[in-house]
Amino acid sequence: ILNVEQSPQSLHVQEGDSTNFTCSFPSSNFYALHWYRWETAKSPEALFVMTLNGDEKKKGRISATLNTKEGYSYLYIKGSQPEDSATYLCASNTNAGKSTFGDGTTLTVKP
Amino acid sequence: ETGVTQTPRHLVMGMTNKKSLKCEQHLGHNAMYWYKQSAKKPLELMFVYNFKEQTENNSVPSRFSPECPNSSHLFLHLHTLQPEDSALYLCASSLRGHPQETQYFGPGTRLLVL
């Protein structure tokens, strides 16, 4: 992996469904992985920052895991709600401070 | 409200114009960032300032000129832009510019170059 890649590009789920998406990043020179939530016409909002292999973070119904050896992070949303509809961005930071963002996964939750 | 404001929110300019984008943060942070998001592309880091000193210039053309007079304010001066520079320009700040710090983003300036 040379760049930060997110999949899927978009996702449509029903209210109440649980869902997850992936962020893949270069494992060399890795320092930190950030997840952001970006609603239309608003500012990107930080969800999690993770640095250690095996890190797990949780915030309400949203959680994330990190595997630095293989270069991926998963974001999980349990019991999706319409207000979870947004684009979820991940960004990988190297130890030199270089920050690279993925294209994002756009989640739409239908009532 | 993230504590980071940007003005203007929308800007239309001709290729011969000179304009400036302004970012202000009320969080007491010392690092500030400019990002660009073009259509169908990921967010791209342009510049980083840490304690008013530029610490990163990500090969940005000279028609974009940043200025950081103090830790709370960041400007992006624009001159002789091209239509392909039309994009969303986001400002962000963090406490000390460390890679593991959360960045707080402004709402962005939507720029259209005609």
Side-chain angles (χ1 to χ4, degrees), chain B residues 51-100:
Chain B
F51 292 90
K52 300 189 296 178
E53 297 296 321
Q54 188 180 118
T55 55
E56 176 133 3
N57 176 337
N58 200 17
S59 304
V60 181
S62 60
R63 57 187 185 269
F64 296 90
S65 174
E67 180 191 0
C68 188
N70 54 62
S71 292
S72 300
H73 293 87
L74 184 65
F75 295 89
L76 189 64
H77 304 298
L78 315 172
H79 61 99
T80 58
L81 293 194
Q82 305 297 309
E84 59 264 29
D85 297 321
S86 299
L88 178 69
Y89 290 85
L90 284 168
C91 171
S93 71
S94 69
L95 186 59
R96 292 189 190 89
H98 293 167
Q100 78 276 18

Side-chain angles (χ1 to χ4, degrees), chain A residues 53-67:
Chain A
N53 186 44
D55 257 355
E56 291 187 30
K57 294 283 178 83
K58 187 175 181 182
K59 192 176 184 177
R61 294 179 291 99
I62 306 177
S63 60
T65 61
L66 180 67
N67 183 321

Side-chain angles (χ1 to χ4, degrees), chain A residues 31-32 34 36 38 41-46 49 51 89 93-103, chain B residues 2 4 9 35 37 40-43 45 56 58 88 90 98-108:
Chain A
Y31 194 92
H34 297 256
Y36 293 89
W38 195 0
K42 293 189 177 179
S43 310
E45 174 195 352
V49 55
T51 57
L89 296 175
N93 284 26
T94 67
N95 47 20
K98 186 170 175 60
S99 185
T100 305
F101 279 77
D103 285 321
Chain B
T2 62
V4 181
R9 294 292 307 274
Y35 287 90
Q37 188 183 42
K40 300 188 188 300
K41 290 187 177 179
L43 271 176
L45 182 66
E56 176 133 3
N58 200 17
L88 178 69
L90 284 168
H98 293 167
Q100 78 276 18
E101 288 174 356
T102 295
Q103 291 185 22
Y104 294 81
F105 284 84

Side-chain angles (χ1 to χ4, degrees), chain A residues 5 17 21 23 25 29 33 36 49 58-59 72 75 102:
Chain A
E5 297 173 2
D17 288 350
F21 15 97
C23 172
F25 55 87
N29 300 318
L33 192 285
Y36 293 89
V49 55
K58 187 175 181 182
K59 192 176 184 177
Y72 64 84
L75 189 79

